[in-house]
Amino acid sequence: MSSEIFDKVQRVLTALQEQNIERAQDLEAFRVKYVGSKNEIKALFGEIKNVANERKKEFGQLLNDVKQAAEEKYNHWKEKLEGESGGEDDIAIDLTAPTAAIPLGSRHPVSIILNRIIHIFERIGFTVAEEREIEDDWHNFTAMNTPEDHPARDMQDTFYLKDSTNELLRTHTSSVQARIMKNQKPPIRIIAPGRVYRNETISSRSHCQFHQVEGLYIDKDVSFADLKQTLLYFAREMYGPKTDIRLRPSFFPFTEPSAEMDVYWGLNNEDDYRITKGTGWLEILGCGMVDPNVLENCGIDPDVYSGFAFGMGIERQAMLQHKITDIRQLFQNDTRFLKQFSGVI
Ligand code: PHE
């Protein structure tokens, strides 16, 4: 019987000597097993009653040696591991490990283009003017020289607020022209970005809401040449320094003369043929000299001042630059689509 107990103690000693300690968790397991208040060695002291009297002393001695070996090993590793982790934490930290990536959001493609346009015009002294999306008939149409019977006023094109013939969702950012001219004295040099609404059937090419940027410059002696040069500057900043533009005569009620500006996109591949309908030219904006009637409607003397205005859509430019083929993707808030623009500023 006695020798069996001696063997048992011996096995505990061997086990504790062989116990592998590498991390704080290992040390804690060792402590619980051999040093803590309910450790295995303590239990063995209880066995002393089973040892023959003449060997009791020897047994006690052996147990004390085992106890000491456990304590020494524990203290040795405790010191060592605490030294490694700076004594702060139980877990050793690798300060050279790369951090977890912080997920970044992405800008909406419409915002990306909008911001680029704003910065281009800010560099030549235009300031941003933002105005309401719910407008009244006067600012959206009447002040802009749009006759009562103009088809744009038709219920088909304009969203009117319920039971109202006066309040509507603005159909273009030109309404900002009227708001600014009524409240500011020339020289006026603003660009007005924002949402506009038209009652159109939604398809891959058109939507009932989209964005425009309006430009307005009013001062003494502003000429069509100023308009042309400003637009050429814009086109070359936006589409590359060698970009050509052309102005085609057009009609808007609020400008006289009026034009549409195309930029030369090129005909290098099949996509270019499709996008430009085989011409190589892309229509980007409408523009013209502010009609004297508009100046007068807004309290600016057309005999003293003149000015130009232009307005352009944003979605189409965003679609061209990012090869987006369906305008609806810009309004669906599908993060799988939007994530593709992360990192683009
Ligand atoms: N408001 C016009 C449109 O929505 C664009 C435009 C703005 C044309 C300013 C001329 C001058 O199509």
Side-chain angles (χ1 to χ4, degrees):
M1 179 70 197
S2 288
S3 69
E4 252 174 55
I5 295 168
F6 275 80
D7 285 350
K8 199 169 167 187
V9 175
Q10 198 59 50
R11 278 201 303 278
V12 172
L13 179 61
T14 315
L16 81 85
Q17 280 166 340
E18 283 174 358
Q19 181 98 28
N20 200 17
I21 298 176
E22 274 175 12
R23 297 168 306 164
Q25 293 105 293
D26 305 332
L27 182 66
E28 178 59 9
F30 183 90
R31 188 191 67 77
V32 171
K33 207 162 175 194
Y34 301 114
V35 187
S37 58
K38 284 181 185 154
N39 71 68
E40 278 186 17
I41 305 161
K42 242 186 205 173
L44 290 170
F45 275 102
E47 302 264 6
I48 204 155
K49 57 182 181 297
N50 301 323
V51 177
N53 275 342
E54 65 276 16
R55 295 196 74 184
K56 273 195 172 34
K57 195 175 168 204
E58 190 192 341
F59 185 75
Q61 192 70 54
L62 179 63
L63 273 184
N64 276 329
D65 290 347
V66 175
K67 189 175 166 224
Q68 206 180 334
E71 279 167 5
E72 272 169 16
K73 182 164 176 171
Y74 174 73
N75 288 333
H76 168 81
W77 282 100
K78 188 170 184 242
E79 237 172 71
K80 201 165 160 149
L81 289 181
E82 280 183 355
E84 273 172 14
S85 68
E88 292 262 302
D89 206 327
D90 278 337
I91 301 160
I93 296 170
D94 179 1
L95 293 176
T96 64
T99 56
I102 299 166
L104 285 181
S106 52
R107 281 195 204 280
H108 193 282
V110 167
S111 299
I112 294 169
I113 298 294
L114 212 52
N115 289 341
R116 274 186 64 196
I117 295 171
I118 288 170
H119 289 142
I120 289 169
F121 283 104
E122 273 178 346
R123 285 207 287 282
I124 54 168
F126 283 77
T127 52
V128 172
E130 281 183 304
E131 267 297 344
R132 64 204 69 189
E133 291 174 18
I134 296 177
E135 257 306 350
D136 53 40
D137 180 272
W138 191 83
H139 289 88
N140 197 80
F141 292 126
T142 308
M144 302 314 289
N145 201 33
T146 311
E148 277 310 322
D149 55 0
H150 194 280
R153 289 177 179 241
D154 200 308
M155 302 292 276
Q156 304 271 303
D157 289 324
T158 306
F159 287 118
Y160 286 88
L161 265 58
K162 197 164 183 280
D163 301 329
S164 178
T165 50
N166 184 41
E167 287 174 304
L168 48 87
L169 299 180
R170 66 181 180 190
T171 58
H172 52 184
T173 44
S174 298
S175 58
V176 184
Q177 287 190 35
R179 294 231 164 243
I180 297 291
M181 284 193 274
K182 255 186 25 184
N183 296 316
Q184 289 181 25
K185 295 216 172 327
I188 293 168
R189 198 154 35 183
I190 57 109
I191 43 168
R195 247 182 240 116
V196 301
Y197 304 85
R198 286 180 201 175
N199 193 355
E200 289 191 26
T201 312
I202 297 172
S203 72
S204 64
R205 299 172 65 90
S206 64
H207 209 284
C208 59
Q209 59 168 353
F210 52 100
H211 295 75
Q212 285 187 334
V213 174
E214 191 83 4
L216 177 68
Y217 178 34
I218 309 282
D219 204 348
K220 287 175 182 155
D221 302 322
V222 178
S223 72
F224 199 92
D226 296 321
L227 169 61
K228 196 186 114 189
Q229 212 55 32
T230 304
L231 295 179
L232 181 62
Y233 157 78
F234 163 72
R236 294 195 163 163
E237 290 292 309
M238 192 71 185
Y239 290 96
K242 295 211 173 80
T243 302
D244 286 325
I245 64 166
R246 72 177 184 188
L247 291 167
R248 280 180 293 103
S250 184
F251 175 81
F252 299 101
F254 31 90
T255 46
E256 183 59 38
S258 303
E260 275 168 316
M261 184 187 86
D262 300 342
V263 299
Y264 192 70
W265 179 258
L267 279 176
N268 299 316
N269 54 44
E270 226 170 281
D271 272 352
D272 294 348
Y273 272 86
R274 186 178 47 79
I275 295 167
T276 68
K277 297 195 185 89
T279 65
W281 293 93
L282 271 183
E283 185 198 317
I284 296 295
L285 55 80
C287 61
M289 301 307 291
V290 178
D291 193 299
N293 288 341
V294 174
L295 294 175
E296 212 162 290
N297 290 342
C298 300
I300 290 174
D301 186 348
D303 292 330
V304 180
Y305 294 103
S306 58
F308 65 70
F310 55 85
M312 63 181 108
I314 305 304
E315 276 73 8
R316 206 162 82 97
Q317 297 190 66
M319 289 168 75
L320 284 168
Q321 300 228 338
H322 296 291
K323 294 195 164 35
I324 299 164
T325 50
D326 190 328
I327 192 172
R328 289 169 291 199
Q329 288 188 297
L330 295 170
F331 298 103
Q332 277 161 348
N333 284 338
D334 184 335
T335 52
R336 290 169 305 178
F337 168 75
L338 296 171
K339 263 187 200 154
Q340 298 176 92
F341 302 93
S342 67
V344 188
I345 301 178

